[in-house]
Amino acid sequence: MPWDQLLLVGLAGGAAGLINTVVGSGTLITFPTLVALGVPPVLANVSNTVGLAPGSLSGALSMRPELAGQAPRLRRLGLASLPGGIVGALLLLRLPSAAFDAIVPVLIGLGCVLVLAQPTLSRRVATRRQRLGITNTAGSARGGPALWVGVLLTGVYGGYFGAAQGVLLIGLLGIALGETLTRVNAAKNVLAMIVNGVAGVVFIVVSDVDWPVAVTIAVGSVLGAQVGGRAGRRLPAVAYRVLIIAVGVVAIVALLG
């Protein structure tokens, strides 16, 4: 891939790292960019997952203060994310590429819908907390079996494709746990890191990876995640949603064209 295209990939990786840390759905930036540059869809998804895994770790580390006291919960839920990511990655590699080509436009569309629905979901979560009188920042709720299963299924989705995985996790954790949305978002980053990391390992071991693309995305996503963790909360969420949905629509049109 020419250097100017790799530069574009790096910028997309930076945007994805920032967006994944603050909201989720960064894959809707990087994946369509790779497809538009001529990378085959399955190879693009594999390389994108490998590249975004370091960004997920960077995003989790950037929000360490918000993770205080959440280790027992995250160990439990991480045991759901781990097998979920493995199953999702294996599904991607086992199913024919034609199935991925058919499913991805639907998943991108679902991701766009989830991004659009996130403000409403957040308001409902906030209303529920207010009704229950939840005002502390160190809630001790662990979530029940339903949350564990939900995190597992989200991990399968994330290992297979991953767009809006973070939005799904924020919704699940926000409804099930007595925590502020800031702490929920930090927990989301850790669980997404587990899914992306284990899926990336599977892809490296048993699949082909476009390493120049993956490394470029990794560098961009690590830097972008640090920006997202420290300053991203100050940026208007509307800007993220407009960009994500615009790119997603373009990707759907391109994939169906």
Side-chain angles (χ1 to χ4, degrees), residues 173-213:
L173 298 173
I175 291 171
L177 304 177
E179 293 283 9
T180 64
L181 287 177
T182 302
R183 284 171 59 81
V184 164
N185 188 50
K188 174 268 293 181
N189 285 337
V190 173
L191 297 177
M193 174 194 70
I194 293 172
V195 172
N196 291 341
V198 71
V201 170
V202 171
F203 293 148
I204 290 171
V205 172
V206 301
S207 183
D208 293 326
V209 178
D210 188 326
W211 282 108
V213 165

Side-chain angles (χ1 to χ4, degrees), residues 38-66:
V39 182
V42 173
L43 179 60
N45 191 46
V46 167
S47 304
N48 179 62
T49 299
V50 173
L52 288 180
S56 298
L57 174 60
S58 178
L61 292 175
S62 73
M63 300 190 72
R64 286 191 300 272
E66 289 82 2

Side-chain angles (χ1 to χ4, degrees), residues 197-248:
V198 71
V201 170
V202 171
F203 293 148
I204 290 171
V205 172
V206 301
S207 183
D208 293 326
V209 178
D210 188 326
W211 282 108
V213 165
V215 170
T216 302
I217 290 177
V219 172
S221 66
V222 167
L223 297 175
Q226 289 299 308
V227 175
R230 297 176 182 179
R233 301 183 191 95
R234 302 174 184 175
L235 301 177
V238 173
Y240 292 133
R241 294 188 181 93
V242 170
L243 177 60
I244 291 171
I245 292 167
V247 172

Side-chain angles (χ1 to χ4, degrees), residues 27-45:
T27 291
L28 289 180
I29 300 296
T30 46
F31 177 78
T33 299
L34 295 179
V35 171
L37 294 175
V39 182
V42 173
L43 179 60
N45 191 46

Side-chain angles (χ1 to χ4, degrees), residues 114-172:
L114 289 171
V115 170
L116 277 174
Q118 189 192 20
T120 300
L121 179 60
S122 297
R123 284 195 296 271
R124 289 181 179 178
V125 171
T127 300
R128 174 181 175 273
R129 290 199 181 104
Q130 185 177 16
R131 185 173 66 250
L132 295 177
I134 298 172
T135 58
N136 63 67
T137 60
S140 59
R142 297 176 60 197
L147 175 61
W148 197 92
V149 172
V151 171
L152 172 67
L153 294 176
T154 303
V156 174
Y157 171 77
Y160 185 81
F161 184 52
Q165 174 189 192
V167 177
L168 283 172
L169 285 171
I170 287 176
L172 288 171

